[in-house]
Amino acid sequence: MKFIPGMRSVSSFAALLAGALVAIMVAAACSPGPAPAPAATNAPAAQPVATVTSTPSVTAATQQPAAATVNYAPQATVTTAPAPAPTSTAAPSPTPVPAPTATARPPTAVPTATPTGSQSLTISNLTHSNASVAVGIRVVWINRDAAAHTVTHGTPDKPGSEFNSNSLSTGDGFSHVFGTVGTFDYFCEFHPTMAGRIVVGGGASAPTATLVPSTATPVPSTATPVPSTATPVPPTATPVPASPNVTANIIYFSFQPPNLTVSAGATVTWTNQDGTSHTVTHGTSPNAGGAFGSAPLSPGASFPFKFSASGAFQYFCAIHTDMLGTVTVTP
């Protein structure tokens, strides 16, 4: 083959140009690229690096050198995943503890006592008093005026029959036990303008307790009873006889105690602790029996009597016939 003049120089120039281009491409491939920006939560897919093929265009008459091809390798994309935000875990709420429920207990039964006692009313300044009492209470009137008065049931135009003191001198007294519920007017027969009223009520009844049966199951005892080997010893104590001398009081228009039990041969002594005179008269009021009886006992005076025979002896005050008592004599 015949070479065209100047062709060698052209080929050499093309070879040099290709070598320089290859060196530039290698240097570009080895230099570090820019630092990749941190990727967002959803990192995009790696962008493919374009393959650059550089083909020098050299025209030769008979020969064309092959163009050098440089392929850039795809650069790895570094994805920085953001740190997950700390999740706030709600602290568990404490389980509420129910408040203890108070167990209702049934009311405790209160024993109802029979009303006892007395209430004193003073007659003074030509005036009678009003009072409210329970059933069974003894009302005592004492005359503190200089004039005589009466305590008479009812009104001046319509006297009643429930009670009547008759004439009460200064210092004298009168009592009456109100056994029924109601309103009782009273007045003075000597001074009809003196009027009073006694209201007798039944009183409040105590609440009745409801018994709650027990739900506990009784546990039988497993202990074996051991029979006693001791020989019973009969009692050798000798009963002490009652005191042969017994005292009683007359106070608040009543005998205290109203019922006595003594042995035969005992002596009972009554002492008047009231502010007015009284008697101790055997019998059923208002009828005297005759077994024993005292004269009118002034305040502070006493009356003794020895009971020799057994039996029940009722007695009363001959001046205030609603004052009653009993002495029971045992053999």
Side-chain angles (χ1 to χ4, degrees):
M1 178 181 293
K2 184 179 180 179
F3 294 94
I4 300 173
M7 180 178 297
R8 182 178 300 276
S9 59
V10 172
S11 300
S12 299
F13 175 77
L16 292 174
L17 181 61
L21 182 59
V22 169
I24 293 171
M25 291 181 179
V26 171
C30 294
S31 63
T41 304
N42 295 326
Q47 298 292 333
V49 179
T51 303
V52 179
T53 304
S54 175
T55 305
S57 177
V58 179
T59 304
T62 59
Q63 180 178 350
Q64 185 174 359
T69 302
V70 179
N71 293 330
Y72 293 96
Q75 298 182 4
T77 302
V78 180
T79 302
T80 303
T87 302
S88 176
T89 304
S93 301
T95 304
V97 179
T101 304
T103 303
R105 297 181 178 181
T108 304
V110 179
T112 303
T114 303
T116 58
S118 61
Q119 180 167 334
S120 179
L121 299 178
T122 300
I123 305 173
S124 63
N125 299 323
L126 298 177
T127 303
H128 274 320
S129 303
N130 299 329
S132 296
V133 299
V135 174
I137 293 296
R138 178 186 296 274
V139 178
V140 178
W141 289 267
I142 299 177
N143 183 11
R144 299 300 184 189
D145 261 347
H149 298 292
T150 70
V151 177
T152 305
H153 173 232
T155 58
D157 57 340
K158 189 177 180 180
S161 58
E162 183 72 20
F163 53 88
N164 192 345
S165 69
N166 297 319
S167 179
L168 298 175
S169 301
T170 303
D172 286 346
F174 169 74
S175 70
H176 179 74
V177 177
F178 290 86
T180 58
V181 175
T183 300
F184 300 86
D185 293 321
Y186 69 97
F187 67 102
C188 173
E189 295 180 6
F190 304 146
H191 311 91
T193 58
M194 294 175 55
R197 174 173 293 180
I198 305 297
V199 178
V200 182
S205 59
T208 303
T210 302
L211 298 179
V212 179
S214 174
T215 57
T217 302
V219 179
S221 175
T222 57
T224 303
V226 178
S228 175
T229 58
T231 303
V233 178
T236 58
T238 302
V240 179
S243 173
N245 298 318
V246 179
T247 60
N249 292 320
I250 305 173
I251 187 170
Y252 298 127
F253 287 79
S254 63
F255 297 106
Q256 296 294 336
N259 300 312
L260 287 171
T261 300
V262 299
S263 58
T267 299
V268 178
T269 301
W270 290 268
T271 301
N272 184 9
Q273 303 288 348
D274 253 346
T276 188
S277 298
H278 296 290
T279 71
V280 178
T281 304
H282 170 243
T284 303
S285 179
N287 301 315
F292 58 89
S294 72
L297 301 174
S298 58
S302 298
F303 169 70
F305 181 77
K306 182 178 180 179
F307 291 87
S308 300
S310 60
F313 299 86
Q314 295 181 344
Y315 64 97
F316 64 99
C317 173
I319 302 173
H320 312 95
T321 55
D322 59 342
M323 294 173 55
L324 307 176
T326 303
V327 176
T328 301
V329 182
T330 60

